[in-house]
PDB file of all heavy atoms in Angstrom:
ATOM      1  N   ALA A 372      -0.128   5.645   9.517  1.00 97.00           N
ATOM      2  CA  ALA A 372      -1.162   5.714  10.554  1.00 97.00           C
ATOM      3  C   ALA A 372      -0.972   4.589  11.555  1.00 97.00           C
ATOM      4  O   ALA A 372      -0.249   3.619  11.297  1.00 97.00           O
ATOM      5  CB  ALA A 372      -2.550   5.608   9.932  1.00 97.00           C
ATOM      6  N   MET A 373      -1.649   4.731  12.671  1.00 97.00           N
ATOM      7  CA  MET A 373      -1.754   3.638  13.623  1.00 97.00           C
ATOM      8  C   MET A 373      -2.678   2.580  13.039  1.00 97.00           C
ATOM      9  O   MET A 373      -3.432   2.836  12.093  1.00 97.00           O
ATOM     10  CB  MET A 373      -2.304   4.145  14.955  1.00 97.00           C
ATOM     11  CG  MET A 373      -1.434   5.190  15.649  1.00 97.00           C
ATOM     12  SD  MET A 373       0.129   4.524  16.254  1.00 97.00           S
ATOM     13  CE  MET A 373      -0.442   3.548  17.661  1.00 97.00           C
ATOM     14  N   ASP A 374      -2.660   1.371  13.612  1.00 95.00           N
ATOM     15  CA  ASP A 374      -3.543   0.304  13.151  1.00 95.00           C
ATOM     16  C   ASP A 374      -5.004   0.736  13.244  1.00 95.00           C
ATOM     17  O   ASP A 374      -5.401   1.417  14.184  1.00 95.00           O
ATOM     18  CB  ASP A 374      -3.343  -0.964  13.994  1.00 95.00           C
ATOM     19  CG  ASP A 374      -1.972  -1.590  13.770  1.00 95.00           C
ATOM     20  OD1 ASP A 374      -1.472  -1.519  12.639  1.00 95.00           O
ATOM     21  OD2 ASP A 374      -1.419  -2.144  14.745  1.00 95.00           O
ATOM     22  N   ALA A 375      -5.787   0.340  12.231  1.00 96.00           N
ATOM     23  CA  ALA A 375      -7.233   0.586  12.174  1.00 96.00           C
ATOM     24  C   ALA A 375      -7.594   2.042  11.927  1.00 96.00           C
ATOM     25  O   ALA A 375      -8.740   2.445  12.135  1.00 96.00           O
ATOM     26  CB  ALA A 375      -7.925   0.089  13.442  1.00 96.00           C
ATOM     27  N   ALA A 376      -6.649   2.839  11.456  1.00 97.00           N
ATOM     28  CA  ALA A 376      -6.938   4.251  11.180  1.00 97.00           C
ATOM     29  C   ALA A 376      -7.649   4.444   9.846  1.00 97.00           C
ATOM     30  O   ALA A 376      -8.161   5.533   9.570  1.00 97.00           O
ATOM     31  CB  ALA A 376      -5.655   5.074  11.204  1.00 97.00           C
ATOM     32  N   GLY A 377      -7.683   3.413   9.004  1.00 95.00           N
ATOM     33  CA  GLY A 377      -8.446   3.505   7.763  1.00 95.00           C
ATOM     34  C   GLY A 377      -7.626   3.693   6.502  1.00 95.00           C
ATOM     35  O   GLY A 377      -8.143   4.216   5.512  1.00 95.00           O
ATOM     36  N   LYS A 378      -6.376   3.254   6.505  1.00 96.00           N
ATOM     37  CA  LYS A 378      -5.527   3.431   5.315  1.00 96.00           C
ATOM     38  C   LYS A 378      -6.080   2.682   4.110  1.00 96.00           C
ATOM     39  O   LYS A 378      -6.174   3.230   3.009  1.00 96.00           O
ATOM     40  CB  LYS A 378      -4.097   2.967   5.596  1.00 96.00           C
ATOM     41  CG  LYS A 378      -3.362   3.743   6.668  1.00 96.00           C
ATOM     42  CD  LYS A 378      -1.914   3.328   6.772  1.00 96.00           C
ATOM     43  CE  LYS A 378      -1.730   1.847   7.009  1.00 96.00           C
ATOM     44  NZ  LYS A 378      -2.376   1.366   8.262  1.00 96.00           N
ATOM     45  N   ASP A 379      -6.434   1.412   4.318  1.00 95.00           N
ATOM     46  CA  ASP A 379      -6.900   0.587   3.201  1.00 95.00           C
ATOM     47  C   ASP A 379      -8.182   1.148   2.582  1.00 95.00           C
ATOM     48  O   ASP A 379      -8.302   1.264   1.353  1.00 95.00           O
ATOM     49  CB  ASP A 379      -7.144  -0.852   3.666  1.00 95.00           C
ATOM     50  CG  ASP A 379      -5.857  -1.564   4.066  1.00 95.00           C
ATOM     51  OD1 ASP A 379      -4.771  -1.072   3.694  1.00 95.00           O
ATOM     52  OD2 ASP A 379      -5.930  -2.603   4.744  1.00 95.00           O
ATOM     53  N   SER A 380      -9.145   1.481   3.426  1.00 95.00           N
ATOM     54  CA  SER A 380     -10.411   2.003   2.900  1.00 95.00           C
ATOM     55  C   SER A 380     -10.227   3.389   2.305  1.00 95.00           C
ATOM     56  O   SER A 380     -10.931   3.767   1.366  1.00 95.00           O
ATOM     57  CB  SER A 380     -11.476   2.028   4.010  1.00 95.00           C
ATOM     58  OG  SER A 380     -11.087   2.873   5.081  1.00 95.00           O
ATOM     59  N   MET A 381      -9.277   4.152   2.823  1.00 97.00           N
ATOM     60  CA  MET A 381      -8.966   5.460   2.252  1.00 97.00           C
ATOM     61  C   MET A 381      -8.520   5.298   0.799  1.00 97.00           C
ATOM     62  O   MET A 381      -9.008   5.977  -0.110  1.00 97.00           O
ATOM     63  CB  MET A 381      -7.867   6.141   3.059  1.00 97.00           C
ATOM     64  CG  MET A 381      -7.360   7.451   2.476  1.00 97.00           C
ATOM     65  SD  MET A 381      -8.581   8.780   2.553  1.00 97.00           S
ATOM     66  CE  MET A 381      -8.543   9.136   4.311  1.00 97.00           C
ATOM     67  N   ILE A 382      -7.577   4.397   0.586  1.00 96.00           N
ATOM     68  CA  ILE A 382      -7.068   4.158  -0.763  1.00 96.00           C
ATOM     69  C   ILE A 382      -8.180   3.648  -1.670  1.00 96.00           C
ATOM     70  O   ILE A 382      -8.327   4.083  -2.816  1.00 96.00           O
ATOM     71  CB  ILE A 382      -5.899   3.150  -0.711  1.00 96.00           C
ATOM     72  CG1 ILE A 382      -4.722   3.766   0.056  1.00 96.00           C
ATOM     73  CG2 ILE A 382      -5.467   2.739  -2.117  1.00 96.00           C
ATOM     74  CD1 ILE A 382      -3.636   2.772   0.420  1.00 96.00           C
ATOM     75  N   GLN A 383      -8.981   2.740  -1.155  1.00 95.00           N
ATOM     76  CA  GLN A 383     -10.063   2.148  -1.935  1.00 95.00           C
ATOM     77  C   GLN A 383     -11.067   3.204  -2.397  1.00 95.00           C
ATOM     78  O   GLN A 383     -11.505   3.178  -3.553  1.00 95.00           O
ATOM     79  CB  GLN A 383     -10.778   1.085  -1.097  1.00 95.00           C
ATOM     80  CG  GLN A 383     -11.951   0.415  -1.804  1.00 95.00           C
ATOM     81  CD  GLN A 383     -12.686  -0.564  -0.888  1.00 95.00           C
ATOM     82  OE1 GLN A 383     -12.218  -0.884   0.201  1.00 95.00           O
ATOM     83  NE2 GLN A 383     -13.828  -1.035  -1.334  1.00 95.00           N
ATOM     84  N   HIS A 384     -11.435   4.126  -1.526  1.00 94.00           N
ATOM     85  CA  HIS A 384     -12.465   5.116  -1.861  1.00 94.00           C
ATOM     86  C   HIS A 384     -11.916   6.288  -2.664  1.00 94.00           C
ATOM     87  O   HIS A 384     -12.453   6.644  -3.711  1.00 94.00           O
ATOM     88  CB  HIS A 384     -13.130   5.637  -0.578  1.00 94.00           C
ATOM     89  CG  HIS A 384     -14.124   4.693   0.009  1.00 94.00           C
ATOM     90  ND1 HIS A 384     -13.751   3.668   0.854  1.00 94.00           N
ATOM     91  CD2 HIS A 384     -15.466   4.603  -0.128  1.00 94.00           C
ATOM     92  CE1 HIS A 384     -14.838   2.988   1.222  1.00 94.00           C
ATOM     93  NE2 HIS A 384     -15.879   3.537   0.639  1.00 94.00           N
ATOM     94  N   VAL A 385     -10.845   6.888  -2.180  1.00 94.00           N
ATOM     95  CA  VAL A 385     -10.351   8.121  -2.803  1.00 94.00           C
ATOM     96  C   VAL A 385      -9.765   7.866  -4.188  1.00 94.00           C
ATOM     97  O   VAL A 385      -9.868   8.710  -5.083  1.00 94.00           O
ATOM     98  CB  VAL A 385      -9.306   8.795  -1.882  1.00 94.00           C
ATOM     99  CG1 VAL A 385      -8.652   9.975  -2.571  1.00 94.00           C
ATOM    100  CG2 VAL A 385      -9.982   9.249  -0.585  1.00 94.00           C
ATOM    101  N   MET A 386      -9.167   6.695  -4.376  1.00 94.00           N
ATOM    102  CA  MET A 386      -8.525   6.395  -5.664  1.00 94.00           C
ATOM    103  C   MET A 386      -9.402   5.516  -6.545  1.00 94.00           C
ATOM    104  O   MET A 386      -8.933   4.975  -7.555  1.00 94.00           O
ATOM    105  CB  MET A 386      -7.174   5.707  -5.421  1.00 94.00           C
ATOM    106  CG  MET A 386      -6.260   6.407  -4.446  1.00 94.00           C
ATOM    107  SD  MET A 386      -5.928   8.148  -4.854  1.00 94.00           S
ATOM    108  CE  MET A 386      -5.013   7.966  -6.381  1.00 94.00           C
ATOM    109  N   SER A 387     -10.680   5.388  -6.225  1.00 92.00           N
ATOM    110  CA  SER A 387     -11.552   4.459  -6.945  1.00 92.00           C
ATOM    111  C   SER A 387     -11.783   4.856  -8.405  1.00 92.00           C
ATOM    112  O   SER A 387     -12.130   4.002  -9.226  1.00 92.00           O
ATOM    113  CB  SER A 387     -12.905   4.345  -6.227  1.00 92.00           C
ATOM    114  OG  SER A 387     -13.560   5.608  -6.183  1.00 92.00           O
ATOM    115  N   GLY A 388     -11.590   6.123  -8.744  1.00 91.00           N
ATOM    116  CA  GLY A 388     -11.879   6.554 -10.111  1.00 91.00           C
ATOM    117  C   GLY A 388     -10.692   6.548 -11.049  1.00 91.00           C
ATOM    118  O   GLY A 388     -10.847   6.753 -12.255  1.00 91.00           O
ATOM    119  N   VAL A 389      -9.487   6.315 -10.528  1.00 93.00           N
ATOM    120  CA  VAL A 389      -8.305   6.423 -11.384  1.00 93.00           C
ATOM    121  C   VAL A 389      -8.116   5.160 -12.208  1.00 93.00           C
ATOM    122  O   VAL A 389      -8.586   4.077 -11.860  1.00 93.00           O
ATOM    123  CB  VAL A 389      -7.023   6.703 -10.561  1.00 93.00           C
ATOM    124  CG1 VAL A 389      -7.160   7.986  -9.776  1.00 93.00           C
ATOM    125  CG2 VAL A 389      -6.715   5.540  -9.625  1.00 93.00           C
ATOM    126  N   ASN A 390      -7.403   5.307 -13.314  1.00 92.00           N
ATOM    127  CA  ASN A 390      -7.118   4.183 -14.197  1.00 92.00           C
ATOM    128  C   ASN A 390      -6.083   3.274 -13.530  1.00 92.00           C
ATOM    129  O   ASN A 390      -4.976   3.719 -13.233  1.00 92.00           O
ATOM    130  CB  ASN A 390      -6.576   4.710 -15.523  1.00 92.00           C
ATOM    131  CG  ASN A 390      -6.398   3.612 -16.555  1.00 92.00           C
ATOM    132  OD1 ASN A 390      -6.218   2.447 -16.225  1.00 92.00           O
ATOM    133  ND2 ASN A 390      -6.455   3.991 -17.814  1.00 92.00           N
ATOM    134  N   PRO A 391      -6.410   2.000 -13.295  1.00 91.00           N
ATOM    135  CA  PRO A 391      -5.470   1.090 -12.631  1.00 91.00           C
ATOM    136  C   PRO A 391      -4.130   0.963 -13.351  1.00 91.00           C
ATOM    137  O   PRO A 391      -3.111   0.658 -12.710  1.00 91.00           O
ATOM    138  CB  PRO A 391      -6.219  -0.252 -12.625  1.00 91.00           C
ATOM    139  CG  PRO A 391      -7.650   0.095 -12.806  1.00 91.00           C
ATOM    140  CD  PRO A 391      -7.683   1.344 -13.621  1.00 91.00           C
ATOM    141  N   GLN A 392      -4.126   1.202 -14.672  1.00 91.00           N
ATOM    142  CA  GLN A 392      -2.872   1.096 -15.418  1.00 91.00           C
ATOM    143  C   GLN A 392      -1.878   2.179 -15.028  1.00 91.00           C
ATOM    144  O   GLN A 392      -0.681   2.021 -15.241  1.00 91.00           O
ATOM    145  CB  GLN A 392      -3.142   1.166 -16.925  1.00 91.00           C
ATOM    146  CG  GLN A 392      -3.820  -0.079 -17.484  1.00 91.00           C
ATOM    147  CD  GLN A 392      -3.986  -0.007 -18.987  1.00 91.00           C
ATOM    148  OE1 GLN A 392      -4.401   1.007 -19.537  1.00 91.00           O
ATOM    149  NE2 GLN A 392      -3.657  -1.093 -19.661  1.00 91.00           N
ATOM    150  N   GLY A 393      -2.373   3.264 -14.474  1.00 93.00           N
ATOM    151  CA  GLY A 393      -1.491   4.366 -14.112  1.00 93.00           C
ATOM    152  C   GLY A 393      -1.382   4.589 -12.629  1.00 93.00           C
ATOM    153  O   GLY A 393      -0.972   5.663 -12.172  1.00 93.00           O
ATOM    154  N   CYS A 394      -1.762   3.575 -11.837  1.00 95.00           N
ATOM    155  CA  CYS A 394      -1.739   3.718 -10.377  1.00 95.00           C
ATOM    156  C   CYS A 394      -1.305   2.401  -9.741  1.00 95.00           C
ATOM    157  O   CYS A 394      -1.889   1.349 -10.028  1.00 95.00           O
ATOM    158  CB  CYS A 394      -3.122   4.113  -9.878  1.00 95.00           C
ATOM    159  SG  CYS A 394      -3.225   4.373  -8.087  1.00 95.00           S
ATOM    160  N   VAL A 395      -0.260   2.457  -8.922  1.00 95.00           N
ATOM    161  CA  VAL A 395       0.263   1.248  -8.277  1.00 95.00           C
ATOM    162  C   VAL A 395       0.305   1.455  -6.770  1.00 95.00           C
ATOM    163  O   VAL A 395       0.843   2.462  -6.292  1.00 95.00           O
ATOM    164  CB  VAL A 395       1.678   0.906  -8.790  1.00 95.00           C
ATOM    165  CG1 VAL A 395       2.203  -0.329  -8.077  1.00 95.00           C
ATOM    166  CG2 VAL A 395       1.664   0.683 -10.296  1.00 95.00           C
ATOM    167  N   VAL A 396      -0.270   0.519  -6.021  1.00 96.00           N
ATOM    168  CA  VAL A 396      -0.256   0.563  -4.555  1.00 96.00           C
ATOM    169  C   VAL A 396       0.799  -0.414  -4.049  1.00 96.00           C
ATOM    170  O   VAL A 396       0.824  -1.577  -4.453  1.00 96.00           O
ATOM    171  CB  VAL A 396      -1.624   0.197  -3.967  1.00 96.00           C
ATOM    172  CG1 VAL A 396      -1.568   0.244  -2.435  1.00 96.00           C
ATOM    173  CG2 VAL A 396      -2.710   1.133  -4.487  1.00 96.00           C
ATOM    174  N   THR A 397       1.680   0.066  -3.175  1.00 96.00           N
ATOM    175  CA  THR A 397       2.713  -0.784  -2.589  1.00 96.00           C
ATOM    176  C   THR A 397       2.571  -0.773  -1.069  1.00 96.00           C
ATOM    177  O   THR A 397       2.505   0.299  -0.458  1.00 96.00           O
ATOM    178  CB  THR A 397       4.130  -0.285  -2.961  1.00 96.00           C
ATOM    179  OG1 THR A 397       4.243  -0.206  -4.380  1.00 96.00           O
ATOM    180  CG2 THR A 397       5.187  -1.239  -2.424  1.00 96.00           C
ATOM    181  N   SER A 398       2.498  -1.949  -0.482  1.00 95.00           N
ATOM    182  CA  SER A 398       2.449  -2.072   0.974  1.00 95.00           C
ATOM    183  C   SER A 398       3.794  -2.587   1.460  1.00 95.00           C
ATOM    184  O   SER A 398       4.307  -3.580   0.925  1.00 95.00           O
ATOM    185  CB  SER A 398       1.341  -3.045   1.396  1.00 95.00           C
ATOM    186  OG  SER A 398       0.073  -2.555   1.021  1.00 95.00           O
ATOM    187  N   PHE A 399       4.354  -1.919   2.432  1.00 92.00           N
ATOM    188  CA  PHE A 399       5.663  -2.306   2.946  1.00 92.00           C
ATOM    189  C   PHE A 399       5.504  -3.093   4.245  1.00 92.00           C
ATOM    190  O   PHE A 399       5.012  -2.579   5.238  1.00 92.00           O
ATOM    191  CB  PHE A 399       6.539  -1.069   3.163  1.00 92.00           C
ATOM    192  CG  PHE A 399       6.961  -0.428   1.873  1.00 92.00           C
ATOM    193  CD1 PHE A 399       6.231   0.618   1.332  1.00 92.00           C
ATOM    194  CD2 PHE A 399       8.068  -0.889   1.178  1.00 92.00           C
ATOM    195  CE1 PHE A 399       6.603   1.205   0.134  1.00 92.00           C
ATOM    196  CE2 PHE A 399       8.455  -0.318  -0.020  1.00 92.00           C
ATOM    197  CZ  PHE A 399       7.723   0.738  -0.547  1.00 92.00           C
ATOM    198  N   LYS A 400       5.917  -4.345   4.170  1.00 89.00           N
ATOM    199  CA  LYS A 400       5.847  -5.242   5.317  1.00 89.00           C
ATOM    200  C   LYS A 400       7.237  -5.357   5.944  1.00 89.00           C
ATOM    201  O   LYS A 400       8.139  -4.574   5.658  1.00 89.00           O
ATOM    202  CB  LYS A 400       5.339  -6.610   4.868  1.00 89.00           C
ATOM    203  CG  LYS A 400       4.035  -6.572   4.084  1.00 89.00           C
ATOM    204  CD  LYS A 400       2.861  -6.153   4.936  1.00 89.00           C
ATOM    205  CE  LYS A 400       1.555  -6.256   4.159  1.00 89.00           C
ATOM    206  NZ  LYS A 400       0.382  -5.832   4.974  1.00 89.00           N
ATOM    207  N   GLN A 401       7.418  -6.377   6.762  1.00 89.00           N
ATOM    208  CA  GLN A 401       8.730  -6.656   7.349  1.00 89.00           C
ATOM    209  C   GLN A 401       9.735  -6.920   6.233  1.00 89.00           C
ATOM    210  O   GLN A 401       9.455  -7.670   5.298  1.00 89.00           O
ATOM    211  CB  GLN A 401       8.628  -7.875   8.266  1.00 89.00           C
ATOM    212  CG  GLN A 401       9.923  -8.222   8.986  1.00 89.00           C
ATOM    213  CD  GLN A 401       9.730  -9.394   9.937  1.00 89.00           C
ATOM    214  OE1 GLN A 401       8.609  -9.714  10.311  1.00 89.00           O
ATOM    215  NE2 GLN A 401      10.811 -10.034  10.321  1.00 89.00           N
ATOM    216  N   PRO A 402      10.912  -6.294   6.274  1.00 91.00           N
ATOM    217  CA  PRO A 402      11.896  -6.458   5.193  1.00 91.00           C
ATOM    218  C   PRO A 402      12.312  -7.918   5.007  1.00 91.00           C
ATOM    219  O   PRO A 402      12.446  -8.667   5.969  1.00 91.00           O
ATOM    220  CB  PRO A 402      13.085  -5.607   5.654  1.00 91.00           C
ATOM    221  CG  PRO A 402      12.517  -4.656   6.645  1.00 91.00           C
ATOM    222  CD  PRO A 402      11.391  -5.376   7.313  1.00 91.00           C
ATOM    223  N   SER A 403      12.502  -8.290   3.732  1.00 91.00           N
ATOM    224  CA  SER A 403      12.970  -9.638   3.420  1.00 91.00           C
ATOM    225  C   SER A 403      14.487  -9.724   3.635  1.00 91.00           C
ATOM    226  O   SER A 403      15.154  -8.705   3.866  1.00 91.00           O
ATOM    227  CB  SER A 403      12.646  -9.972   1.965  1.00 91.00           C
ATOM    228  OG  SER A 403      13.402  -9.130   1.096  1.00 91.00           O
ATOM    229  N   THR A 404      15.028 -10.918   3.520  1.00 91.00           N
ATOM    230  CA  THR A 404      16.480 -11.098   3.659  1.00 91.00           C
ATOM    231  C   THR A 404      17.217 -10.294   2.590  1.00 91.00           C
ATOM    232  O   THR A 404      18.238  -9.654   2.876  1.00 91.00           O
ATOM    233  CB  THR A 404      16.845 -12.587   3.533  1.00 91.00           C
ATOM    234  OG1 THR A 404      16.150 -13.322   4.552  1.00 91.00           O
ATOM    235  CG2 THR A 404      18.350 -12.788   3.714  1.00 91.00           C
ATOM    236  N   LEU A 405      16.689 -10.312   1.373  1.00 93.00           N
ATOM    237  CA  LEU A 405      17.296  -9.551   0.282  1.00 93.00           C
ATOM    238  C   LEU A 405      17.282  -8.060   0.584  1.00 93.00           C
ATOM    239  O   LEU A 405      18.285  -7.360   0.385  1.00 93.00           O
ATOM    240  CB  LEU A 405      16.555  -9.823  -1.030  1.00 93.00           C
ATOM    241  CG  LEU A 405      17.000  -8.996  -2.253  1.00 93.00           C
ATOM    242  CD1 LEU A 405      18.454  -9.299  -2.604  1.00 93.00           C
ATOM    243  CD2 LEU A 405      16.084  -9.274  -3.441  1.00 93.00           C
ATOM    244  N   GLU A 406      16.165  -7.571   1.091  1.00 93.00           N
ATOM    245  CA  GLU A 406      16.041  -6.144   1.389  1.00 93.00           C
ATOM    246  C   GLU A 406      16.966  -5.730   2.529  1.00 93.00           C
ATOM    247  O   GLU A 406      17.512  -4.625   2.520  1.00 93.00           O
ATOM    248  CB  GLU A 406      14.581  -5.810   1.709  1.00 93.00           C
ATOM    249  CG  GLU A 406      13.683  -5.895   0.474  1.00 93.00           C
ATOM    250  CD  GLU A 406      12.206  -5.887   0.805  1.00 93.00           C
ATOM    251  OE1 GLU A 406      11.842  -6.138   1.984  1.00 93.00           O
ATOM    252  OE2 GLU A 406      11.402  -5.644  -0.113  1.00 93.00           O
ATOM    253  N   LEU A 407      17.155  -6.611   3.491  1.00 91.00           N
ATOM    254  CA  LEU A 407      18.039  -6.304   4.613  1.00 91.00           C
ATOM    255  C   LEU A 407      19.508  -6.256   4.190  1.00 91.00           C
ATOM    256  O   LEU A 407      20.342  -5.689   4.893  1.00 91.00           O
ATOM    257  CB  LEU A 407      17.863  -7.338   5.728  1.00 91.00           C
ATOM    258  CG  LEU A 407      16.557  -7.245   6.525  1.00 91.00           C
ATOM    259  CD1 LEU A 407      16.432  -8.418   7.475  1.00 91.00           C
ATOM    260  CD2 LEU A 407      16.465  -5.924   7.283  1.00 91.00           C
ATOM    261  N   ASP A 408      19.810  -6.843   3.032  1.00 92.00           N
ATOM    262  CA  ASP A 408      21.173  -6.806   2.509  1.00 92.00           C
ATOM    263  C   ASP A 408      21.470  -5.498   1.779  1.00 92.00           C
ATOM    264  O   ASP A 408      22.577  -5.311   1.264  1.00 92.00           O
ATOM    265  CB  ASP A 408      21.415  -7.983   1.552  1.00 92.00           C
ATOM    266  CG  ASP A 408      21.830  -9.243   2.286  1.00 92.00           C
ATOM    267  OD1 ASP A 408      22.386  -9.120   3.396  1.00 92.00           O
ATOM    268  OD2 ASP A 408      21.599 -10.334   1.765  1.00 92.00           O
TER     269      ASP A 408
END
């Protein structure tokens, strides 16, 4: 989404009932030096 479209709150609300042990959220930021390799 574009900025401020509601991704974070979407994840927070829609996935609020799932067991945290079976659900992992990953946010992809600017690639690190290792990732660029």
Side-chain angles (χ1 to χ4, degrees):
M373 298 292 287
D374 292 326
K378 297 187 304 300
D379 293 343
S380 61
M381 174 69 73
I382 295 168
Q383 179 184 350
H384 283 85
V385 173
M386 309 306 294
S387 61
V389 301
N390 186 334
Q392 289 184 315
C394 182
V395 179
V396 180
T397 304
S398 296
F399 290 94
K400 307 292 186 181
Q401 183 177 341
S403 66
T404 301
L405 175 63
E406 290 167 343
L407 288 173
D408 275 335

